[in-house]
């Protein structure tokens, strides 16, 4: 979203204070915080569509959130594009709601996250709800988000002006009056003690709720369709290699978890850079080089991931110092870091990328070993990795539930990688109408309406 890494925790704390001041009970206060924390959790899901519409999906969203208008920047910027806002919001909200389901959050919170872009005047999306039909937590998260962004960019007085201009359209006037009346002391409290927006928000918003890091890995990979399943595969490769090299259970678990989150920082780089078919210009490379830095920076905010965040930040280091972002050499890279770096490289070689086709298992192994002999990877690590590397191209074994047919799973695999119905039809030598029928069947069986949500659910069910 182009925001600082502490944006959502700050907004969650403000939303919680707003709920309390507005007279909400403890459950409603916690719900407001949870919605604010998860408000942008669906942003990776519609990144490809955002990139198609705006070019730079990161800067585009940043500009929309910063728009000094009486209406939401998202709605104002996309109104002339027909159904663009509706389509983008549907993808985002469906995935955010599904994440809430995985976290075991209550039905009201799930509903709020499925209607994040609704407006008080009924002109929002995806459902066109209005007034009391919109969950109060949505209004609180929206108001808190506007305050945090506008105050940071334009100062408090201009933030008041912009919030008052949106009152009655995006959110209730009375709620806007409450946040304006209390904004100064709340912001001062955050500046004096930034930890208010850290552990406090997370503990209160998600007490008793947790999910596997595999879910986070799948959400990370939604950013780029051609990365579907990448983080999970890297984690499997890294854990197998750690076991082969004799790391204890604690070490195996740490590297597996680090591999699942190693791609978190990719969200900071626009899709237009990742999708570049040729050599990247230096300016683009500078952004890519910071990906592991942002992974470590963001993951460390979750205290329980501190050690994994450190390992994850070494995902693109090379033993000869040619990696990034530290340019560390082998002596400065832990064994876990060297295992992760080699696992990331092998998984990438075996998969297609916008700038090349996938390499076969044998050629990928040969290329990686050549890199190791040249000093860019630990030779012993690469030997152990290749000895235990699973095939990366085949579909997983059929689910015991038999939820989807083999043909449906083939089609789902292709659309999860970003292929259009026409391309899938060409790949499978069937008609586009047949593909469309199968896609509709997949959506119905997985109880979703967008490709991103279908991909997320399918990966969770082991269908991809």
């Amino acid at each position: 979203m182009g925001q600082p890494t502490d944006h959502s925790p700050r907004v969650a704390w403000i939303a919680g204070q707003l709920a309390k001041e507005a007279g909400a009970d403890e459950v409603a206060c916690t719900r407001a915080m949870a919605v604010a924390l998860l408000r942008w959790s669906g942003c990776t899901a519609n990144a490809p569509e955002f990139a198609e519409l705006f070019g730079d999906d990161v800067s585009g969203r940043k500009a929309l959130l910063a728009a000094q208008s009486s209406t939401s920047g998202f709605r104002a910027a996309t109104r002339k594009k027909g159904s663009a806002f509706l389509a983008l919001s549907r993808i985002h909200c469906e995935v955010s709601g599904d994440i809430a389901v995985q976290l075991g959050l209550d039905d009201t919170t799930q509903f709020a996250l499925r209607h994040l872009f609704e407006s008080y005047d009924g002109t929002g999306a995806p459902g066109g709800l209005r007034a009391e039909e919109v969950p109060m937590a949505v209004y609180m998260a929206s108001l808190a988000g506007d305050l945090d962004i506008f105050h940071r960019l334009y100062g408090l007085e201009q933030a008041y002006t912009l919030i008052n201009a949106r009152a009655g359209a995006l959110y209730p006037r009375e709620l806007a009056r409450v946040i304006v009346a209390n904004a100064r002391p709340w912001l001062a409290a955050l500046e004096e003690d930034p930890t208010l927006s850290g552990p406090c928000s997370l503990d209160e918003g998600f007490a008793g709720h947790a999910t596997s890091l595999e879910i986070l890995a799948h959400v990370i990979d939604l950013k780029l369709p051609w990365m579907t399943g990448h983080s999970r595969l890297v984690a499997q490769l890294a854990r197998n290699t750690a076991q082969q090299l004799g790391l204890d259970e604690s070490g195996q678990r740490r590297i597996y978890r680090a591999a699942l989150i190693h791609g978190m920082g990719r969200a900071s780089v626009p899709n237009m850079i990742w999708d570049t078919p040729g050599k990247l210009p230096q300016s683009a490379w500078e952004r890519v080089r910071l990906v592991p830095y942002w992974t470590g920076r963001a993951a460390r905010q979750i205290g329980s991931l501190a050690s994994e965040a450190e390992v994850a930040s070494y995902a693109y280091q090379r033993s000869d110092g040619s990696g990034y972002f530290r340019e560390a050499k082998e002596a400065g890279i832990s064994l876990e870091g060297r295992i992760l770096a080699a696992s990331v490289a092998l998984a990438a070689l075996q998969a297609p990328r916008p700038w090349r086709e996938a390499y076969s298992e044998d050629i990928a192994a040969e290329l990686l070993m050549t890199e190791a002999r040249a000093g860019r990877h630990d030779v012993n690590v690469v030997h152990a990795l290749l000895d235990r590397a699973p095939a990366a191209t085949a579909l997983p074994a059929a689910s015991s539930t038999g939820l989807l047919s083999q043909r449906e799973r083939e089609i789902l695999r292709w659309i999860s990688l970003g292929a259009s119905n026409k391309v899938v039809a060409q790949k499978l030598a069937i008609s586009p109408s047949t593909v469309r029928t199968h896609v509709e069947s997949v959506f119905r069986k997985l109880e979703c309406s967008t490709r991103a949500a279908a991909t997320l659910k399918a990966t969770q069910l082991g269908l991809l």
Side-chain angles (χ1 to χ4, degrees), residues 126-150:
L129 306 183
R130 61 181 301 124
E132 289 75 20
E133 294 175 329
V134 181
M136 192 58 66
V138 171
Y139 294 140
M140 292 174 178
S142 180
L143 265 166
D146 281 355
L147 175 62
D148 186 61
I149 292 172
F150 293 153

Side-chain angles (χ1 to χ4, degrees), residues 42-381:
C43 71
T44 57
N46 62 11
E49 290 77 12
F50 239 104
E52 185 176 347
L53 189 62
F54 293 102
D56 185 333
D57 56 299
V58 178
S59 295
R61 289 193 253 211
K62 180 179 180 180
L64 292 175
L65 286 173
Q68 298 189 63
S69 66
S70 59
T71 59
S72 164
F74 282 92
R75 189 170 72 242
T78 56
R79 184 181 296 168
K80 296 180 180 179
K81 301 288 185 179
S83 62
F85 175 67
L86 179 61
L88 289 169
S89 65
R90 185 189 298 121
I91 297 169
H92 183 120
C93 291
E94 187 167 17
V95 168
S96 293
D98 287 349
I99 291 171
V101 172
Q102 291 298 320
L103 283 167
L105 301 181
D106 62 72
D107 291 345
T108 303
T109 304
Q110 293 175 30
F111 183 81
L113 286 162
R114 294 187 190 280
H115 293 275
L116 288 166
F117 304 110
E118 307 290 0
S119 298
Y120 188 73
D121 63 4
T123 60
L129 306 183
R130 61 181 301 124
E132 289 75 20
E133 294 175 329
V134 181
M136 192 58 66
V138 171
Y139 294 140
M140 292 174 178
S142 180
L143 265 166
D146 281 355
L147 175 62
D148 186 61
I149 292 172
F150 293 153
H151 165 255
R152 173 165 38 86
L153 295 178
Y154 312 121
L156 192 54
E157 294 303 320
Q158 182 63 3
Y160 290 159
T161 299
L162 293 171
I163 287 173
N164 285 328
R166 294 181 171 192
L170 293 189
Y171 23 72
R173 290 188 182 280
E174 180 55 39
L175 206 57
R177 280 194 286 269
V178 173
I179 202 169
V180 168
N182 292 276
R184 193 177 298 276
W186 290 345
L187 292 169
L190 279 174
E191 291 305 313
E192 183 177 341
D193 184 8
T195 63
L196 289 173
S197 65
C200 178
S201 291
L202 291 168
D203 290 346
E204 291 186 24
F206 296 103
H209 298 282
T211 189
S212 68
L213 283 185
E214 285 84 359
I215 304 302
L216 180 54
H218 298 320
V219 173
I220 288 169
D221 290 348
L222 287 176
K223 163 81 169 168
L224 298 160
W226 43 268
M227 294 289 279
T228 297
H230 173 77
S231 297
R232 189 72 177 269
L233 174 59
V234 171
Q236 183 181 356
L237 291 168
R239 182 171 57 187
N240 289 350
T241 305
Q243 185 179 44
Q244 181 78 350
L245 290 171
L247 271 69
D248 60 19
E249 287 292 333
S250 176
Q252 292 176 35
R253 180 174 182 270
R254 181 165 50 252
I255 194 169
Y256 176 76
R257 287 160 58 85
L260 290 173
I261 65 171
H262 83 275
M264 191 183 295
R266 282 199 297 270
S268 67
V269 178
N271 278 27
M272 62 187 292
I273 290 179
W274 294 121
D275 290 333
T276 301
K279 183 178 179 180
L280 289 178
Q282 189 61 33
S283 59
W285 253 117
E286 286 305 311
R287 299 190 69 170
V288 171
R289 287 171 59 85
L290 287 176
V291 165
Y293 165 78
W294 287 118
T295 292
R297 178 75 179 84
R300 285 189 189 94
Q301 291 188 102
I302 305 172
S304 61
L305 288 180
S307 61
E308 286 86 350
E310 179 66 15
V311 175
S313 68
Y314 283 86
Y316 301 99
Q317 296 295 158
R318 295 294 180 263
S319 296
D320 63 353
S322 62
Y324 53 92
F325 65 100
R326 293 181 180 87
E327 299 181 350
K329 294 190 176 182
E330 183 165 326
I333 307 173
S334 68
L335 176 57
E336 292 168 336
R338 299 198 299 274
I339 291 172
L340 178 59
S343 299
V344 169
L346 181 61
L349 287 169
Q350 292 182 343
R353 294 293 183 257
W355 53 91
R356 60 161 174 78
E357 295 296 324
Y359 293 107
S360 68
E361 187 177 346
D362 289 342
I363 293 178
E366 181 181 340
L367 288 171
L368 187 63
M369 185 54 70
T370 299
E371 289 285 286
R373 293 190 184 109
R376 285 182 280 277
H377 289 288
D378 184 322
V379 173
N380 292 331
V381 166

